[in-house]
Amino acid sequence: MVSLKPSLSTVGRNRCVLPSCRQQVAFGLCFDFEFRDNKKHYKEPTMGVWESVKDFRKYSNQYLAAFTGTLLMLSVAASYGWTSPTLPLLLSDDSPLPITPDESSWIVSILVLTSIAGPVASAWLIDGFGRKITLLIAVLPSIVGWILIGVGESVTVLYISRALSGISYGMAYSSMPLYLGEIASDRIRGSIGTLLTVMAKSGILLEYVIGPYVDYRTLAWISVAFPTTFFALFLWLPESPYYLLAKQRSEQAEKNLRWLRRASDVQDELRMMQAAVERSQQNRGTFRDLLTRGNRRSLIIILGLGALQQLCGSQAVIAYSQQIFDQVNSGLKAHESSIIMAVIQLVTAALSSSIVDRVGRRPLLLISTVGCAVGTFIVGLYFFLLQQEVDVEGVGWIPLAVIMIYIVFYTVGLATVPFAILGEIFPTNVKAVAAAIYTMFAGSVGFGVSKLYQLISDEAGTYVSFWIFAACSAAFVVFVFALVPETKGKPLDQILIEMHTSTTRSLNCCSGSQKKKNKPDLQHGA
């Protein structure tokens, strides 16, 4: 799935304020942010997990705000995971609400389609009414959606429910990273970014765990507790100091910052925030700025990665997991296999942020894409042999194991790296515009994948769907190898200079003199 918001700026030299797209856009930029001073490179200090635990009391209010806020991510991700245990029940002979396979594909894909509208609503609300109000509004369609599932008696009502859940999904993913990026101290932004990922994957896991053991309507009433709990708790949390400064409410901004930092003297940080707000208001990017030479190249890269994220088959595997495992004779029940997959995805997501910085973006993307291509090909081969009535009785564990490995490959690379790259290869003033275009494009591709997977699988066979995913992944290996740059360990200004001046994928063809001579306006594009 996908998401967004407009504008991004730096505070002083080493702090980011993040009106951005998804969690990794927000945290990818700040977590890896470096700055240049007196021709030397310094990397912003970040805090590891254990140091965060030791200083938990100092940062406890920020963690409290982050945990409460990310309950929204758990809630909206649960709506996406809901289809895995529910569709087999609705398609069964004793269905509480009989549906056709075509209707089931709409139930999955409508959420993806309407999630594209969520960021548009957020972009209008977030600067006019604030981050907090926007997030509280964002959860309301989700609450109504779960209630409609609980009381609805027709497929039309179910469609409306999924459409509302999609709006919440899009609004949450476009607004929450901004709020968390603005309340978090520099040293714990990385761990808070991981929390956002973990909570989203936890929402999917909860649906996988609860869904098979309760009836259709009971699952809806249990699930509605997630967004209502968020709403009840988040009401008491503070608004972002950045938003308050932008609205000239400096006294309230200082009060909120004191609570978040558990400190009485916050004047220095408040002044840096004020400078960032003023800078962001002066430098607004437009769509035309994206069409300059270097930005156009960056746009091609990020849209290609957005398409790859969807065409590798990840969303189909997550949304239809129980139906997929139901066709695999592995010795486990389908819902048990789905739960194992969700646990693996959760653990891998929690560890992925540190892997990205150690291995690098480009190698991880290549490894992840190759892994997805090989994995989907092997699973497709199993389903092909199954359809040809070849005896596969003794190898049913192979597709199960391969799908688990596939999820690991996807999560460590394609699920995270594109968002980190999006936060690195665009100038500040067009970053949010690029995120918006990326979100719309990836959402459109994701809608096509979600809708067509069921139809192709029913008409031609499940193996055809998986081989399409394998072919797309294999094709994009060439794309990643030829076009995607390595940005690991490079200051943001150097990355932007190279994106506007070099032509090789390594972005190392520019000499120091060339960089200086050809240095573009990084704030306003080339």
Side-chain angles (χ1 to χ4, degrees), residues 364 367-369 371-372 404-414:
L364 263 186
I367 293 169
S368 181
T369 306
C372 288
M404 302 306 171
I405 296 171
Y406 162 87
I407 281 294
V408 171
F409 274 105
Y410 168 74
T411 304
V412 299
L414 290 175

Side-chain angles (χ1 to χ4, degrees), residues 320-330 334 382-383 386-387 392 399 453-454 457-458 461-463 466:
Y320 295 99
S321 65
Q322 196 161 313
Q323 289 173 274
I324 293 170
F325 288 124
D326 196 44
Q327 302 176 62
V328 175
N329 186 18
S330 65
Y382 173 86
F383 285 127
L386 194 65
Q387 183 159 314
V392 291
Y453 170 81
Q454 185 73 62
S457 297
D458 289 342
T462 304
Y463 73 93
F466 274 89

Side-chain angles (χ1 to χ4, degrees), residues 57-287:
R57 183 175 180 182
K58 177 180 178 181
Y59 300 106
S60 59
N61 285 358
Q62 294 176 60
Y63 279 121
L64 174 63
F67 177 79
T68 305
T70 52
L71 284 174
L72 176 60
M73 310 312 298
L74 184 151
S75 303
V76 298
S79 65
Y80 192 74
W82 172 84
T83 56
S84 177
T86 303
L87 291 184
L89 177 62
L90 297 182
L91 289 165
S92 65
D93 294 335
D94 56 347
S95 171
L97 181 61
I99 62 172
T100 66
D102 181 60
E103 288 170 338
S104 74
S105 68
W106 279 111
I107 289 170
V108 173
S109 59
I110 282 177
L111 182 145
V112 186
L113 182 64
T114 58
S115 70
I116 299 173
V120 178
S122 292
W124 178 71
L125 289 168
I126 208 156
D127 287 329
F129 296 91
R131 286 64 163 140
K132 179 178 177 179
I133 295 298
T134 301
L135 291 168
L136 290 171
I137 292 174
V139 80
L140 296 179
S142 178
I143 294 174
V144 175
W146 287 119
I147 292 174
L148 288 178
I149 293 176
V151 302
E153 298 289 346
S154 69
V155 176
T156 301
V157 173
L158 194 51
Y159 287 163
I160 295 171
S161 163
R162 298 294 288 169
L164 291 172
S165 296
I167 293 171
S168 282
Y169 194 103
M171 291 184 69
Y173 267 110
S174 59
S175 306
M176 183 56 66
L178 169 59
Y179 178 78
L180 296 182
E182 291 183 349
I183 69 169
S185 297
D186 296 337
R187 295 192 66 193
I188 64 168
R189 188 177 288 112
S191 58
I192 284 181
T194 301
L195 177 63
L196 194 153
T197 305
V198 168
M199 291 292 277
K201 302 306 180 188
S202 297
I204 295 174
L205 176 60
L206 284 171
E207 294 297 312
Y208 283 13
V209 170
I210 299 171
Y213 302 103
V214 298
D215 64 51
Y216 163 74
R217 300 191 192 281
T218 301
L219 179 59
W221 294 119
I222 292 174
S223 299
V224 79
F226 305 146
T228 52
T229 300
F230 162 78
F231 188 90
L233 296 178
F234 197 70
L235 276 172
W236 305 98
L237 291 179
E239 175 60 272
S240 162
Y242 286 96
Y243 169 76
L244 295 171
L245 288 172
K247 297 300 181 182
Q248 287 80 49
R249 295 166 59 185
S250 55
E251 290 185 7
Q252 187 63 45
E254 182 178 354
K255 179 181 177 181
N256 288 7
L257 190 60
R258 284 177 177 172
W259 184 85
L260 288 165
R261 302 296 183 260
R262 293 176 62 92
S264 56
D265 184 9
V266 293
Q267 290 303 315
D268 289 343
E269 186 174 2
L270 205 62
R271 280 191 291 271
M272 293 198 323
M273 288 182 175
Q274 183 65 55
V277 169
E278 293 171 359
R279 192 177 301 113
S280 67
Q281 291 174 339
Q282 293 168 1
N283 299 311
R284 300 282 184 178
T286 66
F287 176 74

Side-chain angles (χ1 to χ4, degrees), residues 364-391:
L364 263 186
L365 277 177
L366 285 170
I367 293 169
S368 181
T369 306
V370 170
C372 288
V374 173
T376 47
F377 176 81
I378 293 174
V379 174
L381 179 60
Y382 173 86
F383 285 127
F384 174 76
L385 295 175
L386 194 65
Q387 183 159 314
Q388 298 301 312
E389 299 183 351
V390 176
D391 184 13

Side-chain angles (χ1 to χ4, degrees), residues 87 101 104 108 128 173 222 236 243 252 259 299 301 307 309 317 368 395 455 475-476 478 497 501-502 522:
L87 291 184
S104 74
V108 173
Y173 267 110
I222 292 174
W236 305 98
Y243 169 76
Q252 187 63 45
W259 184 85
L299 186 63
I301 290 171
Q309 271 190 318
V317 171
S368 181
V395 295
L455 297 180
F476 273 101
V478 178
I497 291 170
T501 57
S502 74
L522 299 180

